[in-house]
């Protein structure tokens, strides 16, 4: 299983990002191989639709689980279409701590959008 976390850096020690569609990178942890790698978020500079494009990037990389801070309506629509299981990230902790929190069952599952459209633009 591959778990992706919104990140400000490119490794497990990096701080998780408070944005989804406009995060710097996604750090991915493979629970089977115990290896991690980073995916550059090419959607971060989109004029509109960053969330939906970010979901497609993750789907194309075979991601099973997403840990994200907030999700807008279009991102949530794409998440449902691609059947990506999603959990709410805890604030101000590392990617590694987010994954540990998920494995311990401490993260809340996200089933609907948590912010309105274009919320990520205010944080760029």
């Amino acid at each position: 299983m591959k778990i992706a976390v919104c990140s400000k850096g490119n490794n497990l020690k990096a701080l998780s990002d408070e944005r989804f569609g406009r995060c710097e990178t996604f750090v991915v942890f493979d629970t089977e191989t115990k290896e991690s790698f980073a995916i550059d978020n090419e959607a971060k500079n989109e004029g509109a639709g960053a969330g939906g494009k970010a979901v497609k990037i993750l789907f194309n990389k075979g991601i099973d689980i997403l840990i994200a801070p907030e999700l807008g309506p279009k991102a949530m629509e794409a998440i449902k279409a691609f059947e990506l299981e999603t959990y709410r990230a805890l604030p101000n902790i590392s990617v590694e701590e987010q994954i540990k929190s998920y494995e311990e069952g401490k993260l809340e599952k996200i089933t609907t959008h948590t912010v309105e459209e274009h919320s990520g633009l205010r944080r760029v």
Side-chain angles (χ1 to χ4, degrees), residues 61-93:
K61 294 290 185 177
I63 302 305
D64 303 293
I65 304 286
L66 168 64
I67 299 174
E70 302 286 351
L71 296 169
K74 289 182 182 175
M76 196 67 222
E77 188 176 299
I79 283 167
K80 287 179 179 180
F82 288 111
E83 299 179 346
L84 187 61
E85 198 170 328
T86 309
Y87 293 84
R88 185 187 304 273
L90 298 172
N92 304 314
I93 64 174

Side-chain angles (χ1 to χ4, degrees), residues 9-109:
N10 61 4
N11 60 56
L12 294 172
K13 300 293 183 192
L15 193 61
S16 59
D17 203 320
E18 64 276 357
R19 302 164 298 172
F20 167 62
R22 299 189 186 283
C23 70
E24 286 299 313
T25 59
F26 296 102
V27 174
V28 178
F29 179 72
D30 188 318
T31 61
E32 293 173 20
T33 65
K34 305 297 184 204
E35 294 178 354
S36 64
F37 60 93
I39 300 170
D40 181 48
N41 182 13
E42 297 172 5
K44 66 185 168 223
N45 296 319
E46 290 292 313
K53 184 172 182 180
V55 171
K56 188 171 183 184
I57 291 167
L58 295 174
F59 175 78
N60 288 338
K61 294 290 185 177
I63 302 305
D64 303 293
I65 304 286
L66 168 64
I67 299 174
E70 302 286 351
L71 296 169
K74 289 182 182 175
M76 196 67 222
E77 188 176 299
I79 283 167
K80 287 179 179 180
F82 288 111
E83 299 179 346
L84 187 61
E85 198 170 328
T86 309
Y87 293 84
R88 185 187 304 273
L90 298 172
N92 304 314
I93 64 174
S94 71
V95 169
E96 187 174 48
E97 291 170 304
Q98 296 289 4
I99 293 166
K100 183 179 178 187
S101 295
Y102 164 76
E103 291 175 332
E104 294 173 349
K106 294 180 180 177
L107 302 183
E108 169 191 358
K109 191 167 188 174

